[in-house]
Amino acid sequence: MQSGASRRRPLGRTIIHVALVLSLAFGVLAGAGGYWAVFRAPELVRAPDDPAVIAAARTVPRGRILDRDGVVLADNERGPKGELQRVYKGRAISQVVGYASSRYGRAGLELAFDAELSGLASDPLNDALRKFGADPYDPQDLTLSLSYGLQKAAIAALGDFRGAVVMLDPTTGEVLALASTPTYDASKVADPATARQSFEALQADKGEPLLPRATLGRYVPGSVFKIVTAIAGLGSGAITPATTYKEQPGAEKNGLLVDGFRVRDGHHVTTRSKALDFIEATEASCNIWFALTGLQIGGKEFVDYAGRLGFGAPLPFDLPTAISQVTGGSGSAPGGFKDDVELANAAYGQAETFVTPLQMALVASVVANGGELLRPRLVTAFAGKAGKREVGPETLRRVIDAQAASSIMEAMVAAVEGDLGRRFTAGSKVRGVTTAGKSGTAELGGTGEPHSWFIGFAPADAPKVAIAVVVEQGGRGAEIASPIAGDLMTRYLAANP
Amino acid sequence: MTVAPDIGARRAPLAQSARAGRRRRIQPRARWGEARLLLLVAVTLLVGSISLGATLTGAFVPYDARDLAIYLGALLVAHLAQVLAGRRSDQILLPVMGMLGGISLLLMQRLPQGLVTMNLGATELGLGEVQLLWLVLAIALATVVGVAVRSDRWLRRYKYTWAALGIGLLLLAFVLGTDIGGSRLSVRIGPFSGQPSELLKVILVVFLAGYLSENRSLLIEQDTRVGPLRLPPLPYLAPMVAMWAIALGIVVIQRDLGAALLFFAVFLALVYAATGRVSLVVIGLVLFLAGSALMAALFGHVRARIDVWLDPFGDPLGAGYQIVQSLHAFARGGLLGVGLGNGLPLVGGRIPIPEVHTDFPLAALGEELGLVGMVAILALYLVIVQRGLRIGAAAADDFRAILATGLALVIGVQAFIIAAGNLSVLPLTGVTLPLISYGGSSLLANALVVGLLLALSDKGVEPPPPPGRRGWLSRLPGRGR
Amino acid sequence: MDGFLLLLWVMRLVFLALLYLVLARVMRSLLRDLRAAAREPTTSLGRLIVLESPSGEPATGLSFDLDAITTLGRDVNNAIVVEDPFASSEHAVLTFRGRSWYVEDTSSTNGTYLNGRRIEDVAAMGYGDEMSIGQVRLRLERARTT
């Protein structure tokens, strides 16, 4: 010890300070341990790049995926090295079921329900108990509402066209078919031997076979969007079924002047100078009438009602969905429209209006279901070690009252069965059954054929199936989308009388 | 006037002088506390070994009864040697070291044995057996140092010699070092290879203890005002700057971030312990941050470490692979762990964390023993630190106090740095987890630390020499009064 | 859960429990050690009696209980302030190290005397020895046993 100790203290106190700081530092370590081992653990132990998950994927069979009739859509097979790989029932379901590949990850339901299929899904309590079990994995079999037969028929009906078909049961929200073309062979992506070659070819394909158009494709809707306008108009009280516009017949010839822009209409041959009411306008698919209705509703109200139908946000579905929109929303007019011209054009499905086929099928099913929107569902049951868990119907909200829904149904029946309507929707009628529907022809601007649309449901008095069909550049609605819808609804109703 | 209870010198029995004590015959002295703790450690390790055996072989027998017996035997011999030597040294350090070493043995036994191999005559030893060899040597070293070192004169007298030796080691590493993973840490001379920085840290503490105890008064008393800070006269800051430069030099020359961080942290802690001046620590931290920024700006490998630290999941398959795998391991472990031998799922026949036996043993233990087990292990390190600091606080003079404090901090801070790296609390730096990581240099250096602490803890140790000449700082100009 | 696995998990948890038992035992030893240190009597190591002090600072007859380090000098920061014209501001230090006392002259101008003899640097000091700084005389005595 050195001398001269005026301010020097014994070392003890500073040593205690050092001890406290280091203890605090170790406390931080314990805290960090808790953060990773407890707080972040549920997410990390399920991440597909966790070695335990990778190891399990090679040894623990994934859950199977079955359709509504018990047809196995996705199953496991042992490869030449004894490692498990997925095999799929056929090309028709690829964009729904997706793939599980050791090389390219997962897609579709294989991605959305990866945790359940691989047996890792659980609550925190089960997480804690899981590792005490001999076999810690509990892969779940998924049962879908999809009908493999109907799905195959939908794919076949679309043929070489690019497009999508969505069919659902409007009373339960169960999705019966969710077809997109072109499609691909998911088994080849799942097979390590062919994965690379097949996947790279799919990525290079200009037809974008990997894109599930039914849920992620965004299309200009054309006239099928008039049903959305009708829902907003009747729902908001802006119009009644008896509403007529006296300027409408004149505007048929010269176009409707909105803010100096002329809204024109082409097909008005038989209606002459009669001012049309709602049902007649729907049957004739009168653009002028719906443009005037759109202006009558107002941008804000219009967007609000579309929002009730599911526009403006991803749909609460089992697969990821693109967002459908009435307008780009960047404008300064109410609802985000740029001006009244855009609003008038949007009201008959042009301008900045983009929709997914699934969204349009929901529009049809809201009308069919008396104005109530049900959550669309693909997965109806999980079956694991602990038994089977059913997923029931779920009402999201009432969009319009039953009377408004009934008026729209009447208009849609006229559009299929009426003398004038028949011309636009030829082939969509289900024989012997009252059918409701609306066709659409979405002008894309520039050259090229328009998208061909049809939405509808049958039977009109007690709907069992709702449908949305879009055929990319298929021409007028009547020419291609309508007959596809008619055939598919006929097929379903024949099997489920 | 009161007597500070921390100064323990008065506890030395006045009646017997050390000289007389040394001439007396050495009498065995029972160490029941240590014996009881060691017995408990042995039982714990036996249970652990059986649990490991059951996981790996399916039968409830110790995984490797022979190796476990050798290890426990070494602990027993160490205990008996201390009993026979009759010294009144600390009875907690050996059991704690034994516990950590035993956990290390269990971990190395369950890792792929091919990670490290060593040919001993005709037989080839795997990772577990090589580690057992080093562990036994480490226990032997700690015991021999703890029993045999009765005087610290050789440490305090030649501190500049030690400093020179340390710098020599550093140069040796630079000249002869072999690059491993971008860091020049390892030196190979003939059949021997080792990491000089492991020994360097002990030498550093010895030098600092000598330097700080000599110049303590001066560093405390003298003031220069620089703005709001009250500092020692600027010449006295020279060692601080020199230390900073050496730390940066280690980063530049050896590319060893961990050692630089360890040295600088221990240095700052000791300066604070010796002087109680927060201003010095603040200056040190400012220098440290400036140095870090400089290094990050100049060197890609430093910047890469920091980037990975800021966002470990940014590049999970590239730069962040190790740390992401480490975090996944902690997550798989959860609260209670997956059990010894049940973790580290093989992917394509490989363990998921590269360098798990040297840099990431804590992640492996965190997975297999869970958060609960990991916290216990961290607590064991704190126990070692507490023992060292207690020995320091009770030491008879400043040199011993600072030496014991520094030795304890070397183990504690190093454990913190690598644990923080594994948990992504700090950027990952390649230091070993003391007494657990695989590696001869690391085990022996840390055993040397434990041995010195044992020796210093003996209350009957030779009294410090009477005050001699002052430190060189007292001869600097400006000291006048 | 089969019997083997159950037993295995019991072993694993027992290992963790034992790990904590080791920790608890170690902690107990630590605490016992700390308590023992706190209980130790805090009597002083020795006393310094003022035999003569013309200035009255320190007062004659006063007895100082000594720390392991006791500084003497004219500066008020010293443990024992010695007011004497011949005293330096930091004059001398008494230290107890190991088993004996040492007096060290801290470069004072006029020197420190032990039993009448001026010391150079350091000198061992026994109980009963007298030291002087200027005209102040002090005697080292054993601590009183309480």
Side-chain angles (χ1 to χ4, degrees):
Chain A
M1 266 176 237
Q2 281 322 111
S3 57
S6 56
R7 230 184 287 143
R8 74 193 268 167
R9 300 193 206 112
L11 277 169
R13 197 175 321 169
T14 53
I15 289 180
I16 288 173
H17 294 166
V18 171
L20 284 179
V21 169
L22 200 66
S23 305
L24 211 65
F26 271 70
V28 170
L29 290 185
Y35 176 73
W36 295 114
V38 178
F39 184 70
R40 289 287 296 276
E43 160 208 348
L44 288 178
V45 297
R46 292 193 177 81
D49 55 350
D50 186 283
V53 174
I54 296 173
R58 297 183 180 184
T59 51
V60 181
R62 280 172 85 77
R64 298 175 306 160
I65 301 177
L66 302 99
D67 89 337
R68 64 188 296 120
D69 306 313
V71 177
V72 179
L73 303 178
D75 206 346
N76 305 295
E77 225 173 49
R78 292 216 175 263
K81 284 192 223 147
E83 289 189 345
L84 288 165
Q85 67 189 53
R86 280 299 232 191
V87 283
Y88 301 99
K89 178 72 179 170
R91 301 169 66 95
I93 43 117
S94 293
Q95 273 126 348
V96 181
V97 171
Y99 51 80
S101 153
S102 57
R103 188 175 192 111
Y104 295 105
R106 284 122 184 64
L109 289 173
E110 294 270 34
L111 173 65
F113 292 91
D114 192 40
E116 287 80 1
L117 289 165
S118 59
L120 285 164
S122 199
D123 52 284
L125 178 66
N126 277 338
D127 259 5
L129 295 176
R130 194 159 58 92
K131 59 176 150 235
F132 296 104
D135 176 11
Y137 295 95
D138 180 16
Q140 313 258 317
D141 285 351
L142 304 188
T143 305
L144 307 184
S145 55
L146 206 72
S147 159
Y148 180 63
L150 200 58
Q151 177 87 359
K152 255 196 330 187
I155 295 284
L158 286 167
D160 290 337
F161 281 108
R162 297 174 196 170
V165 173
V166 180
M167 295 174 77
L168 38 79
D169 182 333
T171 59
T172 61
E174 289 180 3
V175 173
L176 305 167
L178 195 67
S180 308
T181 53
T183 184
Y184 63 94
D185 187 348
S187 298
K188 281 209 174 121
V189 179
D191 184 348
T194 54
R196 192 194 175 103
Q197 182 203 359
S198 122
F199 196 77
E200 282 176 359
L202 288 173
Q203 278 182 313
D205 193 329
K206 290 234 165 48
E208 294 182 88
L210 291 171
L211 174 72
R213 289 169 158 76
T215 45
L216 290 179
R218 292 165 89 238
Y219 295 95
V220 177
S223 296
V224 291
F225 194 73
K226 288 168 182 165
I227 305 304
V228 176
T229 308
I231 287 173
L234 292 171
S236 66
I239 59 163
T240 68
T243 299
T244 57
Y245 301 97
K246 60 179 187 307
E247 64 267 49
Q248 173 244 321
E252 300 272 332
K253 290 199 182 67
N254 308 318
L256 172 67
L257 201 62
V258 181
D259 286 356
F261 177 87
R262 272 182 207 285
V263 175
R264 290 184 180 280
D265 192 6
H267 37 76
H268 52 83
V269 203
T270 56
T271 60
R272 297 179 191 276
S273 59
K274 180 173 190 286
L276 303 174
D277 66 7
F278 166 57
I279 291 176
E280 291 162 338
T282 306
E283 186 180 350
S285 197
C286 177
N287 286 355
I288 304 289
W289 193 91
F290 279 95
L292 288 163
T293 301
L295 295 171
Q296 189 85 12
I297 298 166
K300 185 169 181 319
E301 220 34 21
F302 199 170
V303 170
D304 282 355
Y305 265 87
R308 290 207 210 179
L309 285 164
F311 282 70
L315 295 168
F317 190 46
D318 296 334
L319 288 171
T321 60
I323 298 177
S324 302
Q325 66 178 50
V326 183
T327 167
S330 58
S332 52
F337 291 96
K338 280 200 289 290
D339 49 29
D340 277 354
V341 180
E342 189 197 343
L343 174 58
N345 283 325
Y348 60 93
Q350 293 292 153
E352 295 295 308
T353 312
F354 292 102
V355 299
T356 60
L358 178 64
Q359 175 65 69
M360 289 319 290
L362 287 181
V363 170
S365 73
V366 163
V367 176
N369 196 38
E372 241 181 12
L373 177 65
L374 295 175
R375 189 179 81 82
R377 292 176 298 138
L378 257 179
V379 179
T380 52
F382 299 92
K385 282 182 198 161
K388 199 164 179 175
R389 181 166 65 89
E390 306 268 351
V391 183
E394 185 188 335
T395 304
L396 290 177
R397 66 188 77 91
R398 173 161 286 283
V399 180
I400 43 170
D401 59 36
Q403 202 185 338
S406 151
S407 302
I408 299 170
M409 184 195 78
E410 210 180 310
M412 289 174 75
V413 170
V416 173
E417 314 237 335
D419 289 337
L420 179 56
R422 254 203 305 247
R423 300 186 188 192
F424 306 123
T425 58
S428 64
K429 168 146 177 73
V430 180
R431 189 171 305 180
V433 174
T434 324
T435 309
K438 181 78 194 77
S439 67
T441 307
E443 307 286 350
L444 301 178
T447 56
E449 288 290 299
H451 292 337
S452 173
W453 271 99
F454 182 87
I455 65 171
F457 54 88
D461 44 350
K464 283 190 177 145
V465 58
I467 193 167
V469 179
V470 61
V471 181
E472 286 181 26
Q473 304 187 330
R476 297 204 167 273
E479 284 161 19
I480 170 111
S482 301
I484 291 176
D487 286 353
L488 290 174
M489 287 196 286
T490 304
R491 187 188 166 97
Y492 178 72
L493 291 175
N496 304 274
Chain B
M1 254 171 111
T2 57
V3 171
D6 315 79
I7 305 287
R10 71 199 132 73
R11 249 173 266 122
L14 296 169
Q16 97 193 43
S17 86
R19 223 165 280 282
R22 213 189 298 164
R23 259 187 227 112
R24 265 205 338 242
R25 272 188 53 224
I26 293 172
Q27 287 204 335
R29 183 187 289 268
R31 297 162 68 85
W32 290 118
E34 184 174 87
R36 274 193 294 267
L37 283 174
L38 279 175
L39 185 66
L40 192 55
V41 166
V43 171
T44 307
L45 290 178
L46 183 65
V47 170
S49 185
I50 292 174
S51 140
L52 180 60
T55 306
L56 295 183
T57 65
F60 284 100
V61 288
Y63 180 59
D64 193 331
R66 187 201 60 177
D67 285 5
L68 184 67
I70 293 174
Y71 180 74
L72 294 179
L75 283 178
L76 179 65
V77 169
H79 171 67
L80 292 179
Q82 296 205 74
V83 168
L84 289 176
R87 296 193 61 176
R88 287 171 298 175
S89 50
D90 187 280
Q91 302 201 22
I92 292 175
L93 283 170
L94 183 68
V96 171
M97 177 184 172
M99 189 71 239
L100 291 172
I103 290 173
S104 166
L105 183 64
L106 292 179
L107 177 64
M108 299 307 156
Q109 283 178 342
R110 63 77 74 228
L111 289 176
Q113 293 302 296
L115 278 177
V116 172
T117 54
M118 181 193 262
N119 286 309
L120 205 72
T123 52
E124 193 188 61
L125 302 183
L127 175 61
E129 288 156 317
V130 179
Q131 180 75 346
L132 176 65
L133 183 67
W134 287 121
L135 281 169
V136 170
L137 287 177
I139 292 169
L141 178 65
T143 313
V144 167
V145 172
V147 165
V149 173
R150 284 174 182 273
S151 161
D152 54 16
R153 203 172 294 171
W154 57 289
L155 286 174
R156 71 171 74 209
R157 186 168 293 171
Y158 303 112
K159 57 186 161 297
Y160 292 108
T161 315
W162 290 117
L165 190 65
I167 292 174
L169 271 176
L170 202 61
L171 292 177
L172 192 70
F174 178 54
V175 177
L176 298 175
T178 45
D179 285 17
I180 297 174
S183 294
R184 195 170 292 171
L185 302 174
S186 190
V187 169
R188 179 172 285 277
I189 301 172
F192 302 103
S193 73
Q195 302 196 349
S197 60
E198 293 286 353
L199 189 55
L200 193 56
K201 69 187 184 193
V202 184
I203 291 175
L204 174 85
V205 167
V206 171
F207 167 72
L208 282 176
Y211 173 81
L212 287 171
S213 62
E214 253 185 7
N215 299 300
R216 193 177 159 216
S217 312
L218 291 170
L219 287 170
I220 295 171
E221 281 172 19
Q222 306 286 321
D223 272 348
T224 308
R225 279 183 178 278
V226 178
L229 286 173
R230 279 194 347 186
L231 300 174
L234 294 180
Y236 302 168
L237 291 176
M240 168 92 79
V241 176
M243 190 62 218
W244 178 69
I246 288 174
L248 291 193
I250 292 169
V251 178
V252 175
I253 296 171
Q254 281 197 296
R255 311 195 140 212
D256 188 352
L257 299 175
L261 191 59
L262 171 65
F263 291 0
F264 204 67
V266 169
F267 169 72
L268 279 187
L270 286 186
V271 166
Y272 176 75
T275 66
R277 296 185 80 130
V278 181
S279 62
L280 287 177
V281 178
V282 171
I283 294 175
L285 285 178
V286 169
L287 279 177
F288 172 77
L289 290 178
S292 306
L294 184 72
M295 291 293 120
L298 288 180
F299 296 102
H301 69 286
V302 179
R303 199 167 43 244
R305 293 283 176 89
I306 293 175
D307 287 345
V308 167
W309 171 56
L310 291 175
D311 182 15
F313 294 95
D315 185 10
L317 296 178
Y321 183 72
Q322 264 187 315
I323 185 70
V324 164
Q325 289 302 324
S326 165
L327 298 177
H328 273 284
F330 283 111
R332 286 194 301 273
L335 263 185
L336 291 174
V338 296
L340 281 170
N342 200 23
L344 298 173
L346 298 176
V347 172
R350 283 195 306 269
I351 44 169
I353 314 175
E355 309 301 332
V356 66
H357 58 306
T358 54
D359 289 1
F360 287 91
L362 195 70
L365 292 170
E367 173 169 14
E368 303 204 333
L369 302 179
L371 180 62
V372 167
M374 188 191 78
V375 167
I377 290 167
L378 292 179
L380 287 175
Y381 284 109
L382 273 187
V383 166
I384 293 185
V385 171
Q386 196 277 347
R387 288 321 292 164
L389 298 186
R390 171 96 186 89
I391 292 165
D397 76 336
D398 287 358
F399 175 78
R400 275 184 206 163
I402 299 175
L403 181 61
T405 305
L407 291 175
L409 285 179
V410 157
I411 289 190
V413 173
Q414 185 171 342
F416 172 77
I417 288 175
I418 186 61
N422 285 3
L423 284 162
S424 201
V425 172
L426 288 181
L428 180 67
T429 53
V431 293
T432 54
L433 186 62
L435 302 171
I436 287 187
S437 278
Y438 166 80
S441 308
S442 166
L443 281 177
L444 291 180
N446 289 308
L448 177 61
V449 169
V450 173
L452 285 173
L453 284 177
L454 280 174
L456 290 174
S457 67
D458 188 346
K459 289 163 190 153
V461 77
E462 184 189 65
R469 302 172 61 81
R470 291 239 205 104
W472 61 274
L473 280 183
S474 64
R475 292 195 287 277
L476 282 176
R479 151 90 179 126
R481 221 182 223 229
Chain C
M1 192 187 278
D2 56 287
F4 173 80
L5 202 66
L6 191 70
L7 195 57
L8 178 54
W9 269 107
V10 169
M11 290 297 275
R12 286 169 178 170
L13 296 180
V14 165
F15 176 72
L16 284 180
L18 281 170
L19 198 54
Y20 272 83
L21 190 61
V22 170
L23 203 56
R25 287 294 173 133
V26 166
M27 294 289 186
R28 210 175 65 166
S29 300
L30 293 186
L31 289 177
R32 197 183 291 159
D33 173 62
L34 285 177
R35 269 202 299 273
R39 261 205 311 276
E40 240 168 58
T42 52
T43 52
S44 68
L45 301 165
R47 288 184 302 153
L48 205 57
I49 315 279
V50 184
L51 300 176
E52 192 183 330
S53 174
S55 72
E57 175 66 48
T60 311
L62 212 61
S63 157
F64 291 98
D65 282 337
L66 293 181
D67 224 335
I69 311 156
T70 307
T71 59
L72 299 96
R74 218 170 46 197
D75 193 285
V76 288
N77 283 319
N78 286 296
I80 300 174
V81 179
V82 180
E83 201 51 69
D84 187 281
F86 294 99
S88 300
S89 58
E90 285 186 3
H91 198 107
V93 185
L94 270 175
T95 49
F96 183 84
R97 46 189 74 238
R99 285 153 194 82
S100 56
W101 284 96
Y102 297 88
V103 58
E104 180 191 3
D105 182 87
T106 47
S107 318
S108 68
T109 318
N110 298 306
T112 307
Y113 292 79
L114 182 62
N115 297 328
R117 200 174 284 178
R118 181 163 178 165
I119 60 171
E120 299 196 7
D121 265 4
V122 186
M125 193 174 179
Y127 295 115
D129 285 353
E130 266 185 43
M131 60 179 288
S132 50
I133 295 171
Q135 293 179 46
V136 178
R137 290 195 300 127
L138 306 138
R139 188 171 67 217
L140 180 69
E141 290 199 349
R142 257 178 219 289
R144 272 174 298 220
T145 45
T146 44

